[in-house]
Amino acid sequence: MVRILEVIGKRPQGGIGSFIINYQSHFHDEDVVLDYLIFNDEPNGDFDEKVRKMGSEVYVLPELRNIRFFKIKRLINNFFLNHRGEYDAVHLHSVNIAFMVFVAAKKYGINNLLAHSHATVYSDKKLNAIRNYFLCRKLKDMATHYLACSVAAGDFLYGENTRDKVIVFNNAIDCRDYAFSEAIRQKYRKNLCLEGSFVLGHVGRFNEQKNHKYLIKIFALYSQIIPDAKLLLVGEGPLKDSIKELVAELKLTDKVIFLGQRDDVNNILMAMDVFLLPSLYEGLPVVGIEAQASGLPCIMSETITKEVAIADVYFESIDAEPKAWVSKLLDINPNDIAKRTNAYKIVGSKGYDIDKEAEKLYKLYKSFEEDINANQNLSSLSD
């Protein structure tokens, strides 16, 4: 049995958490076990419960803060000391803490150190980006394996000259869950009072990265032209209240529907007519793949890697006036939107079938078993 420690900087709410849960749930054998080390001041959360049901242990250290640097460093060191001999590899998803995590892991005998790039910027905050740039300068020297969610994310973190050493694990999905159903579409449109409306949609956490203010400005202008338009917003986050205030200020309360955190996103996508993603940055957004699998036309910001474009995707600048996005929306023919039935097959054929991608990660993890056996054989020979 191979045991892997997944290290995530803070308790995930989607994003990285969705990525690794999706992969873990599609491992077909139980001889690879994933445990988690996360940093949060809350001792438990929804993420913890989900992975525990799959047989994982979850360890929680205090939330990462600059003023806690020495305390966190000590706790990380103690963690690997106390769990010496338990893990065959560390898979680090928050690469700015590699200088603490990888150093401690190697010190206590873990030789397989996997760095994973999930984005194409160090942070959406300037000071944090500068800090993380310096924290990651020695990353390539510390990591034994370079992983990324896209070629662009790999180039960003490791450099284009390292591309042949980077393993890309696509933000894959179970494409069949997103196969378009007219019956589900009509059911959800009725339940959400969307009948007769042209529905724009967005799925994402309410934070700076997702650029909700800009999205609302686009919709405000679009709804002046298409009065029966509606906007569905799925997600939670620290900026949700301020976005609600903006919606009220623009007198759009009856047209913008806040759905909160949902576990039926696949069905909600079927109720939409167009998907918008004006993010400030992304690695390769899972939700962009999900939307395409559902057959939705998508308009995304030019900051997002073009690798995400599998089917019906248009790109627009977030530096442009909102009217540029509206112009693209008006060019999308509603009569084409019904042709969504086979989209999930196309997405799966382009490398985003979770069964195939999960098998690739599973094989990487299993390769560490060979290292373990080789080390054991060497030890027996030396005896």
Side-chain angles (χ1 to χ4, degrees), residues 231-251:
L231 174 64
L232 295 184
L233 298 177
V234 180
E236 294 289 346
L239 298 183
K240 183 177 180 180
D241 289 342
S242 65
I243 296 302
K244 280 189 171 183
E245 290 173 6
L246 177 61
V247 167
E249 183 182 315
L250 295 173
K251 296 181 170 50

Side-chain angles (χ1 to χ4, degrees), residues 44-77:
N44 200 11
D46 292 340
F47 173 83
D48 311 41
E49 296 304 316
K50 288 178 181 177
V51 296
R52 284 189 182 116
K53 288 178 181 177
M54 291 190 285
S56 298
E57 295 286 345
V58 181
Y59 302 97
V60 183
L61 295 182
E63 187 175 321
L64 294 164
R65 295 179 185 172
N66 293 336
I67 60 173
R68 295 175 173 173
F69 171 76
F70 292 106
K71 177 182 179 180
I72 296 293
K73 187 177 181 181
R74 185 180 71 254
L75 289 172
I76 289 173
N77 184 80

Side-chain angles (χ1 to χ4, degrees), residues 247-272:
V247 167
E249 183 182 315
L250 295 173
K251 296 181 170 50
L252 296 171
T253 303
D254 60 335
K255 296 185 176 185
V256 180
I257 303 170
F258 292 82
L259 294 177
Q261 198 72 28
R262 301 286 293 245
D263 58 7
D264 56 349
V265 170
N266 56 331
N267 294 334
I268 294 171
L269 289 170
M270 294 181 204
M272 299 175 185

Side-chain angles (χ1 to χ4, degrees), residues 222 225-226 325-334:
Y222 183 75
I225 303 169
I226 310 295
W325 287 67
V326 172
S327 178
K328 274 194 167 58
L329 279 167
L330 294 172
D331 286 341
I332 294 175
N333 185 350

Side-chain angles (χ1 to χ4, degrees), residues 105-169:
K106 189 171 184 179
K107 178 180 178 182
Y108 293 108
I110 302 175
N111 296 317
N112 300 298
L113 306 174
L114 289 62
H116 201 134
S117 178
H118 288 277
T120 54
V121 298
Y122 287 109
S123 175
D124 55 353
K125 297 177 181 178
K126 188 174 181 179
L127 289 178
N128 287 353
I130 294 171
R131 176 201 66 193
N132 292 343
Y133 166 76
F134 285 103
L135 292 178
C136 291
R137 290 190 69 181
K138 298 293 185 181
L139 177 69
K140 284 169 57 176
D141 296 330
M142 292 184 284
T144 59
H145 296 73
Y146 307 151
L147 280 54
C149 68
S150 66
V151 173
D155 287 351
F156 165 75
L157 189 62
Y158 312 115
E160 292 184 24
N161 60 343
T162 314
R163 186 179 289 181
D164 61 339
K165 298 179 181 179
V166 177
I167 308 172
V168 173
F169 288 96

Side-chain angles (χ1 to χ4, degrees), residues 12 27 34 71 88 93 137 139 192 200 249 301 319 327-328 345 370 373 375:
F27 287 172
L34 308 187
K71 177 182 179 180
D88 309 304
H93 300 272
R137 290 190 69 181
L139 177 69
L192 296 171
L200 312 184
E249 183 182 315
S301 63
D319 294 323
S327 178
K328 274 194 167 58
K345 295 180 182 178
E370 297 174 7
N373 292 335
N375 290 335

